[in-house]
Each structure stands twice: as structure tokens, then as C-alpha cells.
Amino acid sequence: MEKQHAIKYVVKVILITKPFQKIHFTVRHPENALCLTGIAVLPNYSIAGVKVASSMYSKYDTTGILSLAIPNKGDVFYTEEVKTDTGDYRDIVERSIIPINNGKRFELKGKRFGYFDTEMPIHDALMEGYYEDLSMTSAGLVSAIAAIASVASNTSTPSTPVGYPLPNPINSIRTNYKVTLYLRYEMNNQNNLENPISC
Amino acid sequence: MARSKIIKEWVDVQVTANNQIFKANFEVDKHAGLIIGFAITSNADAMLYYRGSQRIVINDMEFYPEDYESKMLMQGLNVPTNERMTDLDEAILPGNRQVQIEYKDADHPSANFTPYRVRLYVYSKLQD
């Protein structure tokens, strides 16, 4: 009998369509799954290309909170603060590299995504999940909106006379995005069904 | 493992239109004993990072399902050269030696579409 894959990847896409949305979802474990061995969560919420928004965020801002739990027991076994993608992948070491030539930069991008390793035995057919959107609660965004609102009501610039509507930063922020949950399972190999290996 | 015992092959996917799925497949070298890893690159990294996802099938068995984002298989220049391969966590028998990629492009505000190329590398270990 030809060997089956001993590892299976499952992808669950969670769509967020409005601010502060709270979503309850379920994930069905694959058949013959022995153990959940890896978890990764990535949003496609990014402000990297949005000029107004990018100045309001730091890479430590939270896009949302995701939790995973065992069904009917409420036992949360995994929680993650999903961070906002700011398009800044240069770590502290790379920033200290001095450009050799004027006007040119030597850039390194050392980012790599990976799974959070775990060993959770699978006893149920389903897993429960919960996601809460917090993308509109970053400290920088709140203060920036307040600052812009103040400027719009009190001052003018040569390019924006009094009463001229300033760009609404809220409109520059995406409220439609997705969060992708990646799960890695160790499978009960077809050849081992009579003598299953414990997780 | 001796570096000479690793075979590196690749297949290109030309992404010529936005929000569509593009397929490509190829046959792993007949001397490959085990498939040990993948890597994915592009001539437009931002496109691949923000817009890309793919389904990968080896020997008619799905390894990465649909909506598996390309960013999960990418790595930056600061990652050591010998670690740039995405380890499969298990060595895969080539079987019928067919590797298929179904690459999906999707709109993203941080990367406006222009035609680009995606390259999937497959690393195999020589048969003994």
C-alpha cells in the first residue's frame, strides 16, 4: 500500500466585513487526524500601501483577537493577537546597516512566517473559534482622527482653505479583510490504523 | 546531507490577468527518491506576498489546500541561504512524480495588478 501523507494542512478563511465584528466559527478536523501540531494566523489587513493610514499605525497594533476552543467545553487552548501588517519587515539589525553609496540603500528582509508548534490530541470532530475585529482601535488611529477633526474645524492651509473637506481617514482604512487560520495535523497513517500511535 | 544529493527543479506560472487561477505542472526528476521541500518566488515580490495563494498537489494527493497564502512559503533575504527551503515536515515519495500548482491571484489594495511571474521550486533528494 502506498504511503499516505502523514501531515495534512487545513485552511480556514474568516471574512471581516465591518468594524468591531465578532465572528464565531467552527473548523472540522480532517478524518483520521491524530494530533494538531501547528497553528498559524495571518490577516491580509494591510496598511502598507495606504499613505494616510500607515502613519497612524505601528507594527505592534492589533488587527484582532482570535481564540480556539474545544467544543461544548469552552476550554480555550489557543489565543492570538493578530497584528497589523504595516509593510515594515526590516528588523533592528537591518536598520543599523549604513548605506555604502549616497542615495542607495542596502535592504534586507528577514521575515518568515511559521507555525506555532503544539501537540493537541484530537478527540472531537470539530473545533470552535472566535474572532473579534479590533482594527479601528489602534492608539495611533484614534489620536490621528481626533487631530484631523480638530484641524478641519479650526484651521486652513494654502491648499485646503477653511471649510474644504479634508480626506476622511476612516475611508482610507479597509474594513473588508480576511484572516486566514492555518492548521497542521499529524494524521493516523493508513498503515497504522490497527495500531494507532498516540499523540 | 551532501549538497550534491539535492535536486532543485522549478516550474513557472505566468500570471497574466487579475483574480484568476493559473495552473502548471511538471514531472520531478526520475532520479529523485524523496521530495523534501518547496520555495516560491516571483519577479514581483509584493504581488506574490499580498495577492497570491496556491494549491499544491504531489502524486495526486493534495499537500497545500486552496487559499494557502503564498506569504506562508516566502522568506526574506536575511534568512540564511541554506534555510530558504520550506521544509515539508515529512519527506514525500514522488510516486507518479507529478507536481501541480494552482496559483490564485486576488485583488489587494497594497499591490495593484500588473502581469507577473511566479516560480515554484521543488527540492528532492537523490535516490541512494
Side-chain angles (χ1 to χ4, degrees):
Chain A
M1 179 186 301
E2 191 162 0
K3 184 175 181 293
Q4 302 291 313
H5 287 323
I7 291 177
K8 188 172 180 66
Y9 295 96
V10 170
V11 171
K12 173 72 178 180
V13 178
I14 304 154
L15 292 173
I16 291 84
T17 55
K18 52 187 178 182
F20 306 110
Q21 191 171 5
K22 298 177 184 178
I23 298 172
H24 179 265
F25 61 91
T26 56
V27 179
R28 179 170 289 278
H29 298 304
E31 232 176 287
N32 296 330
L34 185 66
C35 196
L36 178 64
T37 61
I39 303 170
V41 184
L42 289 182
N44 78 336
Y45 184 91
S46 169
I47 48 84
V50 183
K51 291 182 181 177
V52 174
S54 57
S55 62
M56 306 171 187
Y57 282 80
S58 78
K59 62 181 178 181
Y60 304 109
D61 280 328
T62 299
T63 298
I65 302 259
L66 182 138
S67 302
L68 297 173
I70 298 170
N72 300 323
K73 294 181 183 176
D75 293 339
V76 174
F77 65 88
Y78 181 82
T79 297
E80 176 162 339
E81 276 193 38
V82 182
K83 293 299 183 184
T84 300
D85 185 336
T86 57
D88 179 10
Y89 303 113
R90 297 180 222 110
D91 65 18
I92 196 70
V93 173
E94 294 161 358
R95 283 186 178 141
S96 64
I97 295 174
I98 300 169
I100 298 171
N101 301 314
N102 286 338
K104 294 183 181 179
R105 293 195 63 80
F106 181 54
E107 291 195 9
L108 297 175
K109 294 181 181 178
K111 195 174 185 71
R112 185 176 201 167
F113 292 113
Y115 284 84
F116 172 80
D117 291 326
T118 183
E119 272 189 36
M120 197 192 80
I122 303 299
H123 299 304
D124 304 287
L126 298 172
M127 176 171 63
E128 289 182 336
Y130 176 80
Y131 181 81
E132 180 178 355
D133 170 66
L134 299 173
S135 57
M136 303 292 279
T137 60
S138 76
L141 173 62
V142 171
S143 60
I145 292 172
I148 291 175
S150 172
V151 167
S153 61
N154 295 328
T155 63
S156 67
T157 67
S159 59
T160 56
V162 172
Y164 192 85
L166 291 175
N168 185 345
I170 299 295
N171 292 335
S172 303
I173 311 298
R174 294 173 56 217
T175 52
N176 291 316
Y177 67 98
K178 67 174 182 176
V179 173
T180 307
L181 172 64
Y182 296 89
L183 302 168
R184 183 181 66 206
Y185 293 90
E186 182 177 331
M187 304 298 289
N188 230 339
N189 191 292
Q190 292 287 339
N191 295 330
N192 292 331
L193 282 178
E194 292 184 359
N195 298 299
I197 305 166
S198 60
C199 181
Chain B
M1 180 189 312
R3 304 304 296 176
S4 58
K5 291 193 176 295
I6 298 177
I7 306 169
K8 307 172 191 70
E9 300 171 279
W10 65 82
V11 60
D12 283 346
V13 177
Q14 298 293 340
V15 185
T16 53
N18 58 337
N19 299 316
Q20 291 189 27
I21 296 174
F22 299 85
K23 299 181 183 180
N25 55 18
F26 81 108
E27 196 169 295
V28 171
D29 191 285
K30 62 182 178 182
H31 299 296
L34 291 171
I35 297 174
I36 58 175
F38 290 127
I40 194 163
T41 64
S42 173
N43 62 345
D45 283 346
M47 299 276 212
L48 182 65
Y49 181 86
Y50 288 114
R51 303 178 65 95
S53 63
Q54 68 284 306
R55 174 177 181 260
I56 295 177
V57 175
I58 304 172
N59 184 26
D60 295 329
M61 288 185 292
E62 181 181 271
F63 194 81
Y64 291 123
E66 187 181 356
D67 290 327
Y68 201 94
E69 292 169 306
S70 301
K71 63 177 73 170
M72 287 291 288
L73 301 179
M74 294 173 71
Q75 58 277 317
L77 284 175
N78 213 24
V79 173
T81 306
N82 293 330
E83 296 177 21
R84 289 189 190 163
M85 176 187 73
T86 298
D87 203 318
L88 294 189
D89 296 317
E90 57 166 340
I92 307 289
L93 290 171
N96 63 8
R97 303 189 179 282
Q98 294 298 313
V99 176
Q100 298 156 11
I101 175 173
E102 296 176 11
Y103 179 83
K104 180 162 69 177
D105 174 88
D107 277 339
H108 194 284
S110 295
N112 293 325
F113 179 81
T114 59
Y116 60 107
R117 184 262 301 151
V118 172
R119 179 169 291 173
L120 174 71
Y121 291 87
V122 178
Y123 295 78
S124 310
K125 183 184 169 189
L126 271 175
Q127 285 173 337
D128 290 329

